[in-house]
Amino acid sequence: MAQGAEYTARALLALEILTPPTQFEIVEVGHRVTVKFEGDPELDEAGVTVLTPANVMLLKDLFDQKNEIVVSDRSPLGLALLKKRVGLTLKFRPTLSAKILEIGVNPEIFSD
C-alpha cells in the first residue's frame, strides 16, 4: 500500500499541466486526432489523443474505458502525428499508416 501511494505521489509530481490547444491546424500535445488506419484490417477509424508520458500514465485508465487511444508524444504514432495537418497520411510502422481526418480536443480532459 505504501508503494502505491509513493507511485501516485511521484506521478503527480511528474505531471505536466496541460492547457487546451488554441489552434486546430497542426497536431500538438493535447489534441485528439481522428485518424483512419491503413494496413491493418483490425484497425479502422479511431480517436487518438496525444499527451506527455506523465499524463498518459495518469489518464490511461480513462481512455481504456472509452475505447479511445492515448499515446505519448514520444511514441511512434505520437511522434508521427505531431506537427501534421488534416488530410495527411503518415507512416509510423513499416506496414501501418494513418490518415488524419480531424484535429480537436478530448472533452474528457478539457471541459469548461
Side-chain angles (χ1 to χ4, degrees), residues 11-48:
L12 288 173
L13 288 173
L15 179 64
E16 298 171 40
I17 304 302
L18 290 177
T19 57
T22 57
Q23 61 79 31
F24 300 95
E25 300 293 319
I26 298 172
V27 178
E28 60 186 37
V29 172
H31 275 133
R32 180 189 184 274
V33 184
T34 304
V35 299
K36 170 97 173 111
F37 288 106
E38 300 168 355
D40 185 337
E42 292 185 26
L43 296 174
D44 191 30
E45 193 173 303
V48 180

Side-chain angles (χ1 to χ4, degrees), residues 49-70:
T49 300
V50 182
L51 299 172
T52 64
N55 282 294
V56 168
M57 183 172 52
L58 289 174
L59 298 172
K60 186 163 178 33
D61 289 340
L62 171 69
F63 287 95
D64 286 344
Q65 296 169 9
K66 300 286 183 186
N67 199 22
E68 291 270 325
I69 300 170
V70 60

Side-chain angles (χ1 to χ4, degrees), residues 1-13:
M1 180 109 168
Q3 286 180 338
E6 181 181 339
Y7 174 80
T8 301
R10 284 186 187 175
L12 288 173
L13 288 173

